[in-house]
Amino acid sequence: MAAKNFFVFIIGLFIPLLVLGETCVRPKATPDIYTSGNIFMSTETVFLTEFSLTCENNAKDVHLYAEVNGNVMPVTRSADDTKYQVSWSVAHKKAPSGTYKINFMDEEGYSNYRKAQRSGESTEIKPLFTLDINHKGAGREGLWVQTEFLAVVAALLIWWSANNIKNKIQDS
């Protein structure tokens, strides 16, 4: 019985180590950032940040969470674990132009954030690293009229001129 309890105790010690990701020391992110801004092409502004992460301690299995304007979301990893990605969308009116700050947290930082939230304390937790997104705002790009309208007008003008030429030939 003592051997069984000892075995359960040892398993209980090592399971958390297998579940948790590694801690990144002095992270450096290399981002590719995209924001949509065309009112005609979408109903919402999309923010997309893809980045590669290098750590001084060469940590590979880093689980990250992103916090933007008080909203926390998980960060996804690519299948080959070389890139991370976080994205969200909001209505055009709620996404004015300016700089948006994304705070990234590891599992420990996320845990501290949730504790502060539950206890009603300030959720100002020191992030692992931060990325800034410069968004120019949503606006009208391209032509003021839709291309379908221009195509219909061009087709009507061609038909009208061809009909006039046909009538002139028939009258003479």
Side-chain angles (χ1 to χ4, degrees):
M1 187 68 159
K4 182 180 176 185
N5 288 341
F6 179 72
F7 182 70
V8 170
F9 176 73
I10 295 297
I11 295 283
L13 284 177
F14 287 108
I15 285 181
L17 296 175
L18 296 173
V19 173
L20 295 176
E22 295 181 64
T23 301
C24 185
V25 177
R26 288 194 250 322
K28 183 179 178 189
T30 309
D32 289 323
I33 297 170
Y34 168 77
T35 64
S36 64
N38 192 335
I39 290 176
F40 291 122
M41 300 303 278
S42 63
T43 58
E44 294 184 329
T45 299
V46 175
F47 296 87
L48 175 69
T49 304
E50 183 179 68
F51 59 94
S52 58
L53 182 67
T54 54
C55 303
E56 192 174 90
N57 62 340
N58 292 325
K60 299 293 180 201
D61 190 26
V62 181
H63 299 286
L64 296 175
Y65 296 88
E67 184 266 327
V68 180
N69 297 333
N71 297 322
V72 178
M73 59 201 90
V75 177
T76 58
R77 283 190 295 187
S78 62
D80 59 357
D81 289 339
T82 59
K83 298 262 185 186
Y84 292 85
Q85 184 181 52
V86 63
S87 61
W88 71 97
S89 63
V90 292
H92 290 306
K93 290 181 180 179
K94 294 181 180 178
S97 62
T99 301
Y100 291 81
K101 185 177 184 181
I102 307 175
N103 295 319
F104 290 93
M105 302 172 275
D106 58 4
E107 289 180 324
E108 182 181 347
Y110 178 66
S111 174
N112 292 338
Y113 181 88
R114 295 291 293 157
K115 278 184 202 173
Q117 230 179 11
R118 281 192 302 270
S119 65
E121 297 173 11
S122 171
T123 55
E124 290 293 321
I125 305 295
K126 185 176 186 265
L128 189 61
F129 64 96
T130 302
L131 292 177
D132 291 331
I133 295 180
N134 293 318
H135 176 57
K136 62 183 175 182
R140 299 174 187 254
E141 295 176 5
L143 302 172
W144 283 95
V145 293
Q146 294 181 352
T147 54
E148 295 88 352
F149 177 74
L150 293 177
V152 168
V153 168
L156 287 174
L157 285 174
I158 292 171
W159 176 82
W160 179 74
S161 59
N163 196 27
N164 278 346
I165 292 173
K166 180 183 128 190
N167 286 338
K168 287 182 183 177
I169 292 174
Q170 286 179 347
D171 285 344
S172 35

